[in-house]
Amino acid sequence: MADRIRIENVSKWFGDFQALKNVSLSVKEGEVVMVIGPSGSGKSTLLRCVNRLETVDEGRIWIDQDEVTDPRVDIRKIREESGMVFQSFNLFPHLTALQNITLAPIHVLREKKASAEKRAYELLERVGLKDKAHSYPAQLSGGQQQRVAIARALAMKPKVMLFDEPTSALDPEMVGEVLLVIRDLAEDGMTMMIVTHEMGFAREVGDRVIFMDEGRIIEENVPDLLFDHPQQKRTQDFLSKVL
Ligand code: ADP
Ligand code: MG
C-alpha cells in the first residue's frame, strides 16, 4: 500500500523550545495510526504540521505526492486533502448543521447547492444525525456537535482525517457515540491519524500506536504489543499511569 502521509525528520521550535525533534512517520493508505503520550509531548503540533496549521523548521511532510512543507504549496489544497477535527468542535454558531457541512463544498469546491446538500444529508445520516440537519450548534449536545464537525470535514472528501483528542471535551456519556463514528470510518478504509487519551479505543481501532514524549517518537508498535509489552521505560511509566 502507498504512503498517504509521509513525515521525514521533522523538527519544530517555538522560540527556544523544541516541540518536535526529528520526527519521522509514514501512514499507509487505509491505515489508522493512534498517537498517544503525555500532555506537551508534541502530539498536536505534529498533527498541525501535517495540514500546515504550523510550519516546520526542519524536515519534510507529504500527503500523497503533495509536499505540505514546500513553501510554494497551495495551502488550500492541503487543507482539502486533510480533514481536521479538534477537541473543541469549532462549528459556526450562526449556521445550522446542514449549513456548516455545505459551506466549504459550496464556497471552496464550488459545488452546486443541491448536490452539496444531498451529500450533507448522507453524511448526517452516516454520523447518526439526519434529524438534526436544521439544528444550530447551541441546540446540539457536545457529542452531536462533534459528529457534525466530523461530517463537515468529510464533506471536503479528504484523503486523510486528522483527529486531535476528538472526545476530550465531551461529557463521558457522549464519548462512545463519537468513537463509534470514527470506528466506522476506520472500517470504511479512511486513512487517519488520531491523537487520543482513549486507550481502549486506540487498542481496538488502531493499526499502529505511536508513543510520543518530549517531542520525539519514543516507541511505536501494533496496539497489543505496545500496550502489553512496551519496550521503553518512558512508555511503561506513561501506560502505568493511564491504563
Ligand atoms: P500535546 O498536544 O502533546 O499536549 P503540543 O503539541 O500542544 O503537545 O505542545 C508541545 C509543546 O509545544 C508544549 O510544551 C507547548 O507548550 C508548546 N507549544 C505548542 N504550541 C505552541 C505555540 N504556539 N507557542 C509556543 N509554544 C507552543
Ligand atoms: Mg494536544
Side-chain angles (χ1 to χ4, degrees):
M1 282 285 197
D3 288 339
R4 272 278 152 114
I5 302 172
R6 194 145 52 93
I7 300 168
E8 275 186 15
N9 305 110
V10 162
S11 292
K12 168 78 184 170
W13 278 263
F14 294 108
D16 292 341
F17 178 78
Q18 189 170 3
L20 294 176
K21 299 172 181 163
N22 201 32
V23 172
S24 296
L25 170 69
S26 290
V27 183
K28 294 196 181 310
E29 187 181 339
E31 193 179 22
V32 179
V33 170
M34 299 288 182
V35 183
I36 65 170
S39 180
S41 57
K43 307 179 299 295
S44 296
T45 303
L46 183 63
L47 276 198
R48 292 167 64 82
C49 286
V50 172
N51 82 340
R52 252 316 260 274
L53 287 172
E54 301 280 2
T55 54
V56 306
D57 294 303
E58 287 175 5
R60 299 168 83 181
I61 299 174
W62 288 264
I63 296 177
D64 278 349
Q65 305 305 314
D66 298 316
E67 190 189 338
V68 175
T69 44
D70 183 336
R72 294 158 303 178
V73 77
D74 179 356
I75 293 178
R76 210 181 68 176
K77 182 160 184 239
I78 296 301
R79 301 273 161 78
E80 283 172 30
E81 291 180 338
S82 54
M84 182 113 172
V85 175
F86 302 89
Q87 185 175 333
S88 52
F89 330 120
N90 296 340
L91 295 176
F92 300 109
H94 60 292
L95 299 179
T96 65
L98 189 77
Q99 290 166 337
N100 264 281
I101 297 170
T102 57
L103 188 73
I106 291 172
H107 294 283
V108 180
L109 299 183
R110 304 274 168 214
E111 273 183 45
K112 291 238 163 42
K113 187 166 177 232
S115 75
E117 287 189 345
K118 181 166 176 286
R119 269 187 2 94
Y121 279 113
E122 287 164 10
L123 288 167
L124 279 168
E125 182 157 36
R126 182 164 187 189
V127 301
L129 292 173
K130 200 163 190 186
D131 56 332
K132 301 291 184 190
H134 303 293
S135 299
Y136 288 88
Q139 300 169 315
L140 300 172
S141 71
Q144 290 170 336
Q145 289 183 56
Q146 190 61 304
R147 285 185 281 151
V148 173
I150 293 170
R152 181 177 62 175
L154 291 172
M156 295 298 279
K157 302 178 184 160
K159 292 179 177 173
V160 304
M161 286 284 285
L162 310 171
F163 290 88
D164 193 357
E165 298 191 25
T167 60
S168 293
L170 297 176
D171 291 334
E173 72 271 23
M174 293 168 188
V175 169
E177 67 197 52
V178 172
L179 296 184
L180 203 64
V181 167
I182 301 173
R183 180 192 297 262
D184 176 59
L185 288 177
E187 284 169 6
D188 202 41
M190 177 63 79
T191 307
M192 298 192 274
M193 275 180 79
I194 305 174
V195 175
T196 186
H197 292 299
E198 300 286 338
M199 297 299 150
F201 171 69
R203 184 196 281 259
E204 281 175 46
V205 178
D207 294 309
R208 206 149 39 105
V209 181
I210 308 293
F211 171 69
M212 288 185 71
D213 195 15
E214 295 182 351
R216 286 182 216 282
I217 293 178
I218 303 297
E219 183 166 354
E220 62 174 275
N221 215 328
V222 294
D224 285 345
L225 285 177
L226 189 117
F227 286 117
D228 294 338
H229 304 286
Q231 300 296 303
Q232 302 295 325
K233 172 135 195 333
R234 281 202 261 180
T235 320
Q236 292 162 4
D237 289 347
F238 174 75
L239 291 176
S240 73
K241 284 181 212 146
V242 297
L243 287 180

